[in-house]
Amino acid sequence: MSFLDDIETLKQAALTDLQAARELSALEQAKGAWTGPHGKFTALLKQLGTLPREEKPAAGKQINAAKAELETARASCREALELQAALPSAPTDFTLPGRRRPVGRLHPLTQVTDEIVRAFRKIGFAVADGPEVEDDYHCFDSLNTPADHPARDTQDTFYLADAASPAKAGSGAGAAGAAGRYLLRTHTSSVQIRVMQSQPPPLRILAPGRVYRRDNADATHNPTFHQIEGLYVDRAVTVGDLKGTVEFVFQELMGTDVKVRFRPHYFSYTEPSFEIDFSSALVKKMGKDWLEIAGCGMVHPQVFENVGYDPEVWTGWAFGFGIERIAMIRYGINDIRLFYENDVRFLRQF
């Protein structure tokens, strides 16, 4: 058998060995056995120097072609084995539906806020917003709250030692040069003041947002909570308009069986002022006939004068309530702190 015949024979044997490998490790062993430093094909190459001069060109050409063929075969076998290793060990039905990524949902307080806003939008109210870092003027002075009022005490309000001035809206009467100390707003009534300073009546606005008071956290109190307030200013606005709006909104939120009653109360920024109680099937389940839910009243004339409205021409009402309170009644929750703990076991229920 000639040298060229030996090349072809070894090549065929090497191809058979490479193609017989069933694992990557076996393929690497076959490569080493044939084309490695001590492989059979490598040993044949070392014999090239013993050939007569006239046979060397043809033998060298055939050896190079055989090496290229073996390398191509090895790469093809390796690709096939890697693909096989990546396949699942058990049969897979690719026509089955895929695993859906779980979809999040809105926080219960956001859901309740959105429903309140939708109810007010039905009767022409627009949503307004304002800064959470406020000043004395917009939070207290403009709302006819006297300097000795308990709400202005450091026991009840978070005052800031050094704070940048919140952006002032408008240039209503009394706003300039009367900012005073800065604080975390205790209610969203300050938004009402800023809106009235920035635009003339008539207006209908809704002011939802986060507020802060120095309460110790317990089942019914938290230093941070959410409030929503409404303001309606126009000519000849009456308490009847207020009562009708309150009844409409609470029936939208709690059901058509809701009943509302007003009790006389005192707020420095409304006159007359009322507490709002409501009764419904949910309240009955709590073992009560009536439950206090909100405060309201006709806007005090002094507040109108503070923002540059003529109280002889314009009248209006305002009311506000806590969003957490509505959510707790609606969902039967007995601890306000559950809203802030971010426990997904709780939040998934809504």
Side-chain angles (χ1 to χ4, degrees):
M1 181 181 294
S2 69
F3 187 82
L4 296 181
D5 292 335
D6 288 343
I7 295 174
E8 182 63 23
T9 300
L10 287 176
K11 184 191 76 171
Q12 293 300 327
L15 286 174
T16 301
D17 206 3
L18 290 172
Q19 293 167 354
R22 294 291 176 263
E23 295 179 353
L24 290 172
S25 58
L27 182 66
E28 292 303 312
Q29 288 178 359
K31 174 189 175 183
W34 291 99
T35 59
H38 304 289
K40 297 177 182 178
F41 205 82
T42 304
L44 183 65
L45 295 177
K46 294 178 180 179
Q47 299 177 25
L48 187 62
T50 64
L51 295 177
R53 182 179 301 176
E54 61 274 11
E55 295 182 12
K56 287 182 179 181
K61 183 178 180 179
Q62 188 170 345
I63 288 173
N64 288 333
K67 287 174 61 179
E69 189 174 346
L70 289 176
E71 183 58 31
T72 300
R74 188 189 71 82
S76 177
C77 291
R78 183 176 184 84
E79 183 178 351
L81 291 174
E82 288 177 344
L83 178 62
Q84 183 66 32
L87 293 175
S89 56
T92 301
D93 185 354
F94 291 100
T95 66
L96 290 173
R99 294 185 180 91
R100 294 185 180 274
R101 184 169 294 182
V103 178
R105 63 193 73 188
L106 294 176
H107 193 280
L109 295 181
T110 303
Q111 294 182 38
V112 172
T113 302
D114 288 348
E115 292 195 29
I116 296 170
V117 170
R118 279 195 293 271
F120 273 97
R121 286 192 185 278
K122 290 180 180 180
I123 51 178
F125 279 71
V127 176
D129 194 15
E132 293 182 13
V133 176
E134 264 298 356
D135 54 56
D136 271 328
Y137 176 76
H138 289 93
C139 203
F140 297 126
D141 294 333
S142 61
L143 289 161
N144 200 37
T145 305
D148 59 353
H149 193 280
R152 303 184 69 158
D153 192 270
T154 54
Q155 297 288 334
D156 295 308
T157 299
F158 290 103
Y159 285 95
L160 306 181
D162 296 296
S165 173
K168 289 185 170 54
S171 57
R181 294 181 296 177
Y182 296 112
L183 55 117
L184 298 180
R185 66 183 180 188
T186 59
H187 47 203
T188 57
S189 302
S190 57
V191 178
Q192 299 178 27
I193 296 299
R194 290 182 175 275
V195 171
M196 287 191 286
Q197 286 178 339
S198 64
Q199 66 185 71
L203 56 84
R204 300 181 189 185
I205 62 164
L206 192 63
R210 187 164 44 200
V211 297
Y212 307 84
R213 296 180 188 176
R214 297 189 65 157
D215 287 327
N216 293 322
D218 58 29
T220 57
H221 298 85
N222 201 69
T224 302
F225 60 101
H226 298 79
Q227 191 178 57
I228 195 160
E229 296 195 12
L231 173 68
Y232 175 36
V233 180
D234 207 334
R235 289 181 170 86
V237 175
T238 67
V239 173
D241 300 314
L242 170 59
K243 188 172 188 294
T245 302
V246 169
E247 287 180 341
F248 169 79
V249 170
F250 281 104
Q251 286 178 1
E252 286 281 307
L253 294 174
M254 302 292 191
T256 56
D257 65 326
V258 167
K259 295 180 180 178
V260 174
R261 73 178 184 185
F262 284 24
R263 289 183 291 107
H265 195 69
Y266 169 77
F267 298 109
S268 60
Y269 35 85
T270 53
E271 180 60 38
S273 303
F274 308 96
E275 289 279 9
I276 303 174
D277 299 334
F278 86 106
S279 179
S280 69
L282 291 172
V283 175
K284 300 292 185 184
K285 287 182 180 179
M286 297 170 65
K288 299 180 180 181
D289 292 327
W290 294 92
L291 189 66
E292 178 187 325
I293 195 66
C296 67
M298 302 301 292
V299 179
H300 198 290
Q302 184 60 51
V303 174
F304 279 155
E305 291 184 5
N306 291 341
V307 297
Y309 287 8
D310 186 348
E312 298 297 326
V313 177
W314 304 103
T315 54
W317 53 252
F319 78 89
F321 52 86
I323 295 173
E324 282 85 347
R325 186 76 180 275
I326 298 292
M328 291 175 73
I329 296 170
R330 185 172 183 177
Y331 299 126
I333 298 169
N334 58 11
D335 195 324
I336 194 174
R337 291 169 291 191
L338 292 170
F339 290 123
Y340 318 118
E341 292 175 349
N342 291 327
D343 190 329
V344 294
R345 296 171 298 177
F346 171 77
L347 298 176
R348 282 180 183 145
Q349 301 176 68
F350 307 96

